[in-house]
Amino acid sequence: MTKDDKIRYLRLNQVFHKALTQSISKLQNWDIVSSCFPDYASTREGSTNLSNCQAQVIEFWTEICRREFEEILRERNVKVKLDELDELILEARERLRTLPRDEKGNHAKSTPIDELSSSKLIECNLYSQRLQTMEQLDQRLHKLNRVNRDLDKELQELESSIDSDRKDLSQLYDRYVGQTVNNPLDETLVQGLNDMLLELREEL
């Protein structure tokens, strides 16, 4: 929704300023003000003072009303609520526009938008939001499934690589260690070692 579509908050401000202008117009009427103080207003000094007082009252009253109005808008979060209402109505109109029509061009079993209650409008919006949320969750689930598949594939490849390395190590062990341990000792070599040990003992 564009800024131009959100008109209710703008209209509310326009109504306020129009009402304020109409209220102040009575204070701006010199005849009305002077009639309240006829004797005082009949003198030159009194007329000048009364005119100045009139201008100050108008300025003060305008500022007080404006501040009070803006404070009410802030406290009640009026702008956000009116903008949301504009969005609800626009979405409802869009859904209504896409509904099938009968032979006369009327929407089949549809209720005019201006006859829908605020609760119905909110329900329509919540339904639309739920659909959007479900779609977003489906997308996230699809993404998670894809990530899980990729991780599973990587784990399988890693497991295969580890198994291959284990087999290579096992073959190396059998080739350079296992066979030497399992083969019988050379008797000549053993006898030679024993003779060397005996000679060392005799020298000691």
Side-chain angles (χ1 to χ4, degrees):
M1 175 178 285
T2 63
K3 186 177 180 180
D4 294 335
D5 294 327
K6 299 178 179 180
I7 61 174
R8 280 168 176 73
Y9 181 73
L10 177 62
R11 294 286 175 82
L12 178 62
N13 278 274
Q14 291 174 347
V15 170
F16 164 73
H17 289 297
K18 182 178 180 180
L20 180 61
T21 300
Q22 291 177 348
S23 299
I24 293 177
S25 63
K26 296 180 180 179
L27 292 175
Q28 293 174 331
N29 191 321
W30 173 252
D31 293 336
I32 295 177
V33 174
S34 61
S35 64
C36 296
F37 310 94
D39 295 336
Y40 188 70
S42 62
T43 64
R44 182 176 181 180
E45 181 180 1
S47 176
T48 301
N49 292 337
L50 190 58
S51 178
N52 292 334
C53 181
Q54 179 189 24
Q56 292 177 5
V57 169
I58 291 174
E59 181 180 359
F60 175 78
W61 181 255
T62 302
E63 183 64 20
I64 288 296
C65 290
R66 185 184 62 80
R67 289 183 181 180
E68 186 68 19
F69 178 70
E70 291 178 353
E71 184 65 24
I72 292 174
L73 295 181
R74 282 194 298 269
E75 288 180 355
R76 300 185 180 182
N77 203 19
V78 174
K79 185 179 187 306
V80 173
K81 293 179 180 179
L82 289 179
D83 287 347
E84 289 177 351
L85 179 59
D86 283 327
E87 292 177 356
L88 286 173
I89 293 175
L90 183 63
E91 291 177 5
R93 286 176 177 171
E94 183 63 22
R95 284 193 293 272
L96 186 63
R97 186 182 64 82
T98 58
L99 289 176
R101 298 174 180 268
D102 56 21
E103 296 178 355
K104 297 181 179 180
N106 298 320
H107 292 292
K109 298 181 180 180
S110 62
T111 303
I113 186 66
D114 55 353
E115 294 182 8
L116 291 175
S117 63
S118 57
S119 60
K120 290 295 182 181
L121 289 172
I122 293 175
E123 288 178 6
C124 292
N125 184 64
L126 291 176
Y127 175 74
S128 176
Q129 289 182 350
R130 283 195 293 268
L131 291 179
Q132 293 177 1
T133 301
M134 291 176 62
E135 183 178 355
Q136 292 174 357
L137 290 175
D138 287 339
Q139 293 176 355
R140 293 174 64 181
L141 179 61
H142 179 72
K143 182 178 180 180
L144 287 175
N145 288 334
R146 186 175 67 252
V147 171
N148 286 335
R149 287 194 298 269
D150 293 341
L151 288 175
D152 184 64
K153 182 179 179 181
E154 291 179 4
L155 287 174
Q156 290 180 0
E157 292 176 352
L158 180 60
E159 182 180 2
S160 176
S161 176
I162 292 175
D163 186 62
S164 177
D165 292 341
R166 183 184 61 80
K167 290 180 179 179
D168 292 341
L169 289 173
S170 179
Q171 291 175 358
L172 290 173
Y173 177 84
D174 291 340
R175 179 180 301 175
Y176 297 105
V177 179
Q179 292 180 356
T180 303
V181 173
N182 295 329
N183 290 336
L185 297 176
D186 189 337
E187 294 181 359
T188 303
L189 180 60
V190 173
Q191 185 62 42
L193 290 174
N194 288 333
D195 293 342
M196 289 177 62
L197 290 174
L198 289 174
E199 291 177 359
L200 289 173
R201 287 178 181 177
E202 291 176 356
E203 292 178 358
L204 294 174

